[in-house]
């Protein structure tokens, strides 16, 4: 019997309800609560939040056509070298993506008191609020988010008592498309790790194929002093993989060891795919769970939609037995790992290292 992924996040009460996102529309000056200095980098020793000059001249992660004949090799190389790539030919209709983005805009444009009605419950997953990583940082982020795991109905009714259905329909359609795309990308990644079709049956980790997801709508309004603000602080995503749509406003950057912050520029029609901690574990640290952040800008409003894909909460994860070399991590359940991440953020992985 599997326990749904939402269960992994349920008992991880992260006390975010006493801090609520700012009413961004009404601020002309960056409030002290949102002014970051270089000291506000607690818990993130290998990266500096406030370093601003992205390495525009540096090489960029590849854009991969999912129908390319050598897709397995291309995806494998990108996962090892970068931990992130963009995909085209993904078969997610552009009008669906645009429709969900339009709904996200409508949601974040609502008056603050309306959004607060749909606040995420302290031990829940769905709802409006701050990023879950917020408690690890002394300053607040120039960001508001809305997370959906399963149905959005209950929360959407609080936002639009009479017109919630279009939002829910669009979200359901998008989640279905994302789930099937994530499954296909997972198969390609597993192939790149040497797991072939015959292995699927025997694979003790067949729970991988029962993975599910959560959708996070992100809003980063234009910011009066972007040099001292952070949209989303540096972090790695926890699950297997994330599929992200970004509007045409820059801001997403990845940390490349020895290089610095590298921008992931919006590519029309492409979706960004990145490796999360659980895939890093499964691949015995050969796939890079890259650290990323978002920086705001003075003139335009960034929106993104991130779909996080991971196995049921009670699944046991360990490096795939087929991989060469000794295992670098001990076995861990998804729920245990999320618990560690919620307590220790980036140090979670080192706690399960062998
Ligand atoms: C399924 C999820 C992944 C996520 C927590 C969440 O419940 C929904 C939000 C996700 C997010 C987005 C910002 C970074 C992150 C680490 C966080 O705090 O919330 C991720 C979470 C994650 O990857 O565990
Ligand atoms: O907005 C973005 O580009 C990044 C979002 C993100 O990293 C996340 O939601 O985990
Ligand atoms: Fe992320």
């Amino acid at each position: 019997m599997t326990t749904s992924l939402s269960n992994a996040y349920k008992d991880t009460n992260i006390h975010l309800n006493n801090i609520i996102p700012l009413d961004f529309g009404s601020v002309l000056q960056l409030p002290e609560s949102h002014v970051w200095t270089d000291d506000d980098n607690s818990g993130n020793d290998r990266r500096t939040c406030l370093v601003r000059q992205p390495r525009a001249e540096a090489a960029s992660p590849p854009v991969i056509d999912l129908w390319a004949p050598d897709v397995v090799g291309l995806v494998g190389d990108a996962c090892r070298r970068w931990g992130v790539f963009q995909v085209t030919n993904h078969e997610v209709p552009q009008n669906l993506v645009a429709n969900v983005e339009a709904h996200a805009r409508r949601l974040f444009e609502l008056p603050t008191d309306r959004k607060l009605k749909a606040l995420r419950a302290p031990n829940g997953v769905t709802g409006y609020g701050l990023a879950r990583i917020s408690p690890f940082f002394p300053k607040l982020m120039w960001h508001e988010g809305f997370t959906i795991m399963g149905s959005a109905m209950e929360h959407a009714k609080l936002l639009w008592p009479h017109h919630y259905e279009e939002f829910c329909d669009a979200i359901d359609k998008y989640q279905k498309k994302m789930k099937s795309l994530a499954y296909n990308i997972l198969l390609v990644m597993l192939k790149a790790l040497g797991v072939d079709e015959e292995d699927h049956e025997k694979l003790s980790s067949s729970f991988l194929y029962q993975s599910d997801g959560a959708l996070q709508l992100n809003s980063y309004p234009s910011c009066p002093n972007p040099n001292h603000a952070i949209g989303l602080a540096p972090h790695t995503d926890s699950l297997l993989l994330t599929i992200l749509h970004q509007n045409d406003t820059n801001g997403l950057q990845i940390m490349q060891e020895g290089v610095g912050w590298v921008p992931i520029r919006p590519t029309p029609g492409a979706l960004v795919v990145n490796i999360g901690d659980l895939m890093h574990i499964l691949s015995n640290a050969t796939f890079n769970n890259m650290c990323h952040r978002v920086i705001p800008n003075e003139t335009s409003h960034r929106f993104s939609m991130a779909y996080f894909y991971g196995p049921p909460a009670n699944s046991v994860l360990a490096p795939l037995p087929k991989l060469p070399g000794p295992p670098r991590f001990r076995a861990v359940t998804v729920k245990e790992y999320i618990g560690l991440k919620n307590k220790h953020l980036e140090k979670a992985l080192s706690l399960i290292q062998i």
Side-chain angles (χ1 to χ4, degrees):
M1 251 278 279
T2 58
T3 333
S4 79
L5 176 61
S6 60
N7 217 278
Y9 289 91
K10 272 205 176 116
D11 310 321
T12 52
N13 189 337
I14 43 171
H15 304 293
L16 274 175
N17 263 26
N18 52 348
I19 12 173
I20 51 176
L22 197 65
D23 180 2
F24 293 97
S26 65
V27 235
L28 298 174
Q29 237 197 329
L30 197 61
E32 199 36 50
S33 53
H34 289 69
V35 177
W36 290 60
T37 65
D38 273 329
D39 304 335
D40 295 332
N41 203 21
S42 57
N44 291 284
D45 22 33
R46 61 193 172 105
R47 44 194 100 105
T48 318
C49 285
L50 279 181
V51 172
R52 273 306 126 109
Q53 54 285 29
R55 303 294 294 264
E57 78 286 2
S60 298
V63 179
I64 300 175
D65 177 345
L66 280 181
W67 283 89
D70 53 346
V71 66
V72 174
L74 294 170
V75 166
D77 287 348
C79 292
R80 280 179 274 268
R81 171 156 184 219
W82 295 96
V84 61
F85 53 93
Q86 304 206 45
V87 290
T88 56
N89 250 324
H90 45 64
E91 297 182 344
V92 182
Q94 275 320 305
N95 60 355
L96 176 60
V97 178
N99 189 24
V100 177
E101 187 187 312
H103 279 292
R105 278 175 195 272
R106 277 208 309 142
L107 190 162
F108 293 115
E109 270 165 15
L110 287 170
T112 303
D113 59 343
R114 174 66 62 176
K115 289 185 281 195
L116 292 181
K117 287 190 196 305
L119 208 54
R120 194 192 303 124
N123 63 351
V125 181
T126 300
Y128 174 72
L130 299 177
R132 296 176 81 97
I133 52 174
S134 284
F136 291 94
F137 298 89
K139 291 300 172 81
L140 295 179
M141 300 173 209
W142 198 256
H143 166 267
E144 52 185 330
F146 189 85
T147 314
I148 305 133
M149 203 181 251
S151 166
M153 182 89 79
E154 191 190 319
H155 289 77
K157 275 184 178 167
L158 300 169
L159 295 170
W160 300 284
H162 306 293
H163 303 283
Y164 56 89
E165 270 167 359
E166 308 98 89
F167 177 81
C168 295
D169 286 351
I171 296 291
D172 282 353
K173 278 201 189 99
Y174 192 71
Q175 280 188 315
K176 280 199 186 102
K177 282 282 175 195
M178 283 295 126
K179 189 170 171 177
S180 108
L181 176 61
Y183 179 80
N184 290 333
I185 294 175
L186 172 67
L187 294 187
V188 175
M189 287 179 178
L190 289 175
K191 262 196 189 144
L193 288 170
V195 176
D196 45 43
E197 257 114 63
E198 298 97 71
D199 291 329
H200 288 182
E201 294 269 304
K202 316 180 240 152
L203 200 68
S204 59
S205 44
S206 57
F207 55 79
L208 285 177
Y209 310 117
Q210 296 166 41
S211 289
D212 207 340
L215 183 64
Q216 163 92 7
L217 309 177
N218 293 308
S219 161
Y220 312 88
S222 53
C223 176
N225 187 353
N227 288 336
H228 287 96
I230 294 288
L232 200 54
H235 67 278
T236 61
D237 295 343
S238 312
L239 300 179
L240 290 170
L241 60 99
T242 306
I243 305 177
L244 178 105
H245 159 74
Q246 44 181 345
N247 76 338
D248 55 5
T249 296
N250 284 323
L252 177 61
Q253 300 178 343
I254 60 164
M255 169 51 79
Q256 226 202 343
E257 293 302 335
V259 177
W261 290 107
V262 176
I264 308 289
R265 305 230 183 260
T267 303
L271 294 165
V272 179
V273 178
N274 70 265
I275 296 294
D277 300 344
L278 297 185
M279 182 60 84
H280 181 71
I281 297 171
L282 207 65
S283 71
N284 206 20
T286 55
F287 282 8
N288 180 7
N289 59 334
M290 57 91 202
C291 168
H292 53 287
R293 70 175 185 181
V294 176
I295 55 162
N297 77 84
E298 204 161 355
T299 49
S300 43
H301 194 145
R302 174 181 173 85
F303 292 95
S304 72
M305 286 123 62
Y307 181 79
F308 305 90
Y309 187 64
N314 59 346
S315 335
V316 181
L317 248 117
L320 288 168
K322 266 200 155 184
L323 295 171
R328 308 230 342 228
F329 304 100
R330 70 166 169 84
V332 66
T333 65
V334 172
K335 190 171 172 75
E336 184 191 356
Y337 184 72
I338 298 300
L340 288 173
K341 186 89 184 250
N342 280 329
K343 263 208 197 115
H344 306 282
L345 198 63
E346 301 308 311
K347 294 190 183 76
L349 270 179
S350 64
L351 298 176
I352 59 160
Q353 234 155 31
I354 294 175

